[in-house]
Amino acid sequence: MTTRVLKADQSALDEAARLIRAGEVVGFPTETVYGLGANALDGAAVRKIFEAKGRPGDNPLIVHIADLDQIAPLIEGPLPPQAQALAQAFWPGPLTMILPKSGLIPPEVSAGLDTVGIRMPVHPVAQALIRRCGRPIAAPSANRSGRPSPTAAAHVLEDMDGRVPLILDGGPCGVGLESTVLDVGAQPPRVLRPGGVTPEMIAGVLGPVEVDGSALRPLEAGEVARSPGMKYRHYAPRGAMTVVRGARAQERIAQLYDRAQAAGQRACILALEAHMPCYGQRRALSLGPDAAAAAARLFDLLRAMDQDGIERIFCEAVEARGLGLAVMNRLGRAAAFDFIDAGEEGAR
């Protein structure tokens, strides 16, 4: 299969919509990351997403809509009042709501669960594509399963060349991390995957909100993935990654880096901008000044280190609140939860 990358103009959007209506899979941009989209109501088309990604079938997908009136046929019963309030506050935007699914949603989309994740992206290309298709689009991130999510069309091509017929190039993604996933039916509502809409923002609309314990830990044995992005090692670079937290993180990271280099490993540090001088001449890349910048840069940096042949990565932690919770969620899974406290004796 030849994969074309087309600038997302009117002609390319028409072609992408035609392909999706014909049961094919297309890469397209959203404000979070690039998605790999197929007709959400066509189980055979959805299976092609899993084939292209090499994604296990027990990992549910998110259904993307362009207008609120598209949601009624996709869910069982009326839209709950809490979901209505969230839609008014955050849609279109990077919030996915978990709702009871209707019989129109194929089991391939929901991984056999009786719920479905639905969101309304704000990106104009995503909006236009959904409207041109005339049907909802099921779409995970457009990367090979387990790899860092793509925030540019070039990243999609790197993973999907020869696997999908078309990638729409809509430029770089703004948020840089996947959407927040919220179980609206839980009491209180529960964040399953942190993202650009923070728990604090949701609480401002609904009141008390919980964050699922799996946000900063691996799934336990037998625990079902109720949301995309909950697998043990996800978003992962090719090099082994360690996240270091604590007041002496910079000192410990420098030690770990020096040991890796002495052992013949090609190492790199990911650090907040203010801490870059702490590492002297060591190879280091900036996460930016704060969690928002880190969110926008993280996946691009992980892919850049792959291109540079980095074998060992040492990353500073950020405070796990606000958008920092989403950053730490991604770092934890990218590192297979290899966390080190800077006060611990010894190093790895």
Side-chain angles (χ1 to χ4, degrees), residues 79-194:
L79 188 65
Q82 287 184 314
Q84 293 180 30
L86 290 167
Q88 184 173 4
F90 301 117
W91 278 5
L95 174 67
T96 295
M97 290 190 275
I98 302 293
L99 297 163
K101 75 179 183 71
S102 77
L104 281 180
I105 300 294
E108 290 88 349
V109 171
S110 60
L113 300 173
D114 59 3
T115 56
V116 62
I118 300 176
R119 92 171 183 99
M120 186 190 298
V122 72
H123 197 291
V125 173
Q127 286 260 332
L129 179 61
I130 297 166
R131 289 197 170 97
R132 276 173 165 78
C133 288
R135 46 189 58 87
I137 293 178
S141 54
N143 54 294
R144 295 295 300 277
S145 187
R147 295 274 294 132
S149 297
T151 56
H155 298 161
V156 184
L157 184 63
E158 180 183 345
D159 282 9
M160 293 293 151
D161 193 10
R163 293 174 172 268
V164 299
L166 178 63
I167 299 166
L168 292 175
D169 187 350
C173 300
V175 177
L177 296 180
E178 298 84 355
S179 62
T180 302
V181 177
L182 181 73
D183 185 351
V184 181
Q187 295 297 329
R190 180 172 299 157
V191 174
L192 302 181
R193 181 180 72 186

Side-chain angles (χ1 to χ4, degrees), residues 292-340:
R297 296 183 186 188
L298 178 59
F299 291 142
D300 189 50
L301 291 174
L302 294 181
R303 285 180 175 268
M305 287 187 290
D306 282 351
Q307 294 289 335
D308 201 24
I310 299 299
E311 302 167 285
R312 201 70 178 86
I313 303 165
F314 303 102
C315 182
E316 294 182 354
V318 300
E319 187 178 1
R321 58 187 298 272
L323 193 54
L325 176 65
V327 174
M328 287 302 295
N329 169 269
R330 303 319 193 270
L331 287 176
R333 284 182 160 75
F337 293 95
D338 184 11
F339 287 126
I340 291 180

